[in-house]
Amino acid sequence: MTQSIQVTTDTLIKLFGSLDENARLIEKGLGVSLRPRDGVLKIAGDEQSVERATYLVNNLIALMGKGYDITREKVLSSIDLVLMDKPDDIISLSTDAVAVTARGKYIKCKTIGQRAYVSAIKKNTLVFGVGPAGTGKTYLAVAMAVASYKSGETEKIILTRPAIEAGEKLGFLPGDLQEKVDPYLRPLYDALQENFGVDNYTTLIERGIIEVAPLAYMRGRTLSKAFIILDEAQNATDEQMKMFLTRLGEGSKMVVNGDLTQADLPHGASGLKHAVEILKGIESVDICYFTDKDIVRHELVQRIVLAYAAQEKNENGKRD
């Protein structure tokens, strides 16, 4: 089957990318051939593949018409969308903004999983984001926290994570407790500074409106009118998780993020795993699971995650 699309030479150059890299990605990803000639792009292959490629190309051309560049990453994510029969999301994921950074950069969901996660945060009091590294869980949660504060929905932002990392002992690190845990909280600092700007961030920290602290600091408190994020939650024990979740006060939201495959606790115990099991189905609680398809870092990260997952599955199979 062959389908033809009328297209200008300039549009084709932008669509195909440097050295026709994007064209080759589409051909390989969807099993079609792309042949441009005399203002016409011919797409050849089996019927389903041609229909998908046609939807893909038309949506990418529409995006260019709105002023968006077609990057390698955009092509790859768009191929995934058409393979999931969601071609219309190619445009909506590129144009719908979640928040705006201090420099005026629009923060947007890049995958279906990210959009479901953001929607869940808007609708629910407590949301769990569970999945591999590189899926944007922390960054999007911080963006939502900043938007919530700016809109007046909440009056404070609290970000925390367990002070456990790769089996290292804090006692061997130099400095006081805050200096010891600061490196583990760096991703949270960076996301906040990007969203607020360094000067505003510093002012808000000094006023106590933004609080970034180890999980142990949450004990004995009631957190009201706050947007609270627990990051790296796979390293929280059952006791710590219960303690944290019961800090929730009036007018607050909680987001709990983690990757169950990277728990550093002994014997594979994880308060995150326990919590998602027992809280599933409770009103105002939502659990969002991310997959390798939601990884938005370098595409090699996706392949690394898949390789480790395959090895773990193989080892589990041998033990069985």
Side-chain angles (χ1 to χ4, degrees), residues 39 58 66 91 123 147 224 240 254 277 318:
N58 281 330
K66 296 177 180 291
I91 292 179
K123 296 176 182 177
S224 302
Q240 287 175 323
M254 273 187 173
E277 288 173 351
K318 289 179 179 178

Side-chain angles (χ1 to χ4, degrees), residues 43-69:
I43 305 174
D46 65 70
E47 184 176 357
Q48 184 181 51
S49 297
V50 169
E51 287 180 355
R52 284 173 166 171
T54 301
Y55 274 122
L56 172 66
V57 169
N58 281 330
N59 276 280
L60 292 178
I61 290 173
L63 268 182
M64 286 191 288
K66 296 177 180 291
Y68 292 88
D69 294 329

Side-chain angles (χ1 to χ4, degrees), residues 158 160-162 211 213-223 228 230 235-248 254:
I158 300 172
T160 184
R161 63 192 294 182
E211 182 180 347
L215 181 57
Y217 282 26
M218 300 297 109
R219 192 174 298 277
R221 303 174 61 184
T222 299
L223 308 173
I228 313 145
L230 171 58
N235 288 328
T237 64
D238 288 352
E239 180 185 345
Q240 287 175 323
M241 182 63 73
K242 180 181 178 182
M243 176 275 292
F244 173 76
L245 295 176
T246 54
R247 300 308 94 199
L248 185 68
M254 273 187 173

Side-chain angles (χ1 to χ4, degrees), residues 81 114 126 128 150 153 172 187 197 216 220 252 282 302 314 318:
L81 288 171
Q114 286 190 347
L126 171 61
F128 292 89
K150 288 181 176 179
E153 182 182 357
F172 291 99
S252 289
I282 292 180
Q302 187 178 89
N314 183 50
K318 289 179 179 178

Side-chain angles (χ1 to χ4, degrees), residues 7-241:
V7 61
T8 66
T9 301
D10 184 55
T11 297
L12 268 180
I13 291 172
K14 294 177 181 178
L15 174 65
F16 280 10
S18 177
L19 302 175
D20 293 342
E21 180 184 26
N22 293 342
R24 290 196 299 274
L25 290 174
I26 295 171
E27 289 179 325
K28 180 180 179 181
L30 297 179
V32 297
S33 64
L34 305 180
R35 297 290 178 265
R37 186 173 182 179
D38 299 328
V40 175
L41 175 62
K42 291 189 175 182
I43 305 174
D46 65 70
E47 184 176 357
Q48 184 181 51
S49 297
V50 169
E51 287 180 355
R52 284 173 166 171
T54 301
Y55 274 122
L56 172 66
V57 169
N58 281 330
N59 276 280
L60 292 178
I61 290 173
L63 268 182
M64 286 191 288
K66 296 177 180 291
Y68 292 88
D69 294 329
I70 305 303
T71 62
R72 172 187 175 87
E73 291 72 24
K74 184 61 187 175
V75 172
L76 288 170
S77 64
S78 298
I79 289 171
D80 285 340
L81 288 171
V82 296
L83 289 173
M84 291 187 288
D85 295 323
K86 297 181 179 292
D88 294 339
D89 290 320
I90 294 171
I91 292 179
S92 63
L93 285 173
S94 295
T95 55
D96 296 345
V98 174
V100 184
T101 69
R103 294 179 177 271
K105 170 189 170 186
Y106 287 94
I107 298 174
K108 300 167 186 174
C109 297
K110 296 182 179 180
T111 69
I112 299 294
Q114 286 190 347
R115 186 170 63 187
Y117 174 66
V118 167
S119 178
I121 293 173
K122 290 178 179 178
K123 296 176 182 177
N124 296 277
T125 302
L126 171 61
V127 172
F128 292 89
V130 183
T135 50
K137 302 184 295 295
T138 299
Y139 187 77
L140 286 173
V142 171
M144 294 295 289
V146 172
S148 176
Y149 171 75
K150 288 181 176 179
S151 70
E153 182 182 357
T154 50
E155 298 173 354
K156 192 171 184 177
I157 297 173
I158 300 172
L159 303 100
T160 184
R161 63 192 294 182
I164 300 175
E165 207 71 33
E168 296 172 2
K169 306 298 183 182
L170 293 177
F172 291 99
L173 297 176
D176 59 22
L177 179 58
Q178 191 62 46
E179 290 172 326
K180 290 176 189 290
V181 300
D182 272 355
Y184 301 108
L185 302 170
R186 177 50 56 189
L188 303 177
Y189 292 138
D190 291 343
L192 283 167
Q193 288 175 8
E194 181 177 355
N195 278 273
F196 276 120
V198 176
D199 292 341
N200 285 337
Y201 163 79
T202 302
T203 299
L204 292 171
I205 284 280
E206 291 172 349
R207 292 171 57 193
I209 291 173
I210 296 176
E211 182 180 347
V212 186
L215 181 57
Y217 282 26
M218 300 297 109
R219 192 174 298 277
R221 303 174 61 184
T222 299
L223 308 173
S224 302
K225 201 68 175 172
F227 197 112
I228 313 145
I229 301 172
L230 171 58
D231 199 33
E232 299 291 342
Q234 74 275 3
N235 288 328
T237 64
D238 288 352
E239 180 185 345
Q240 287 175 323
M241 182 63 73

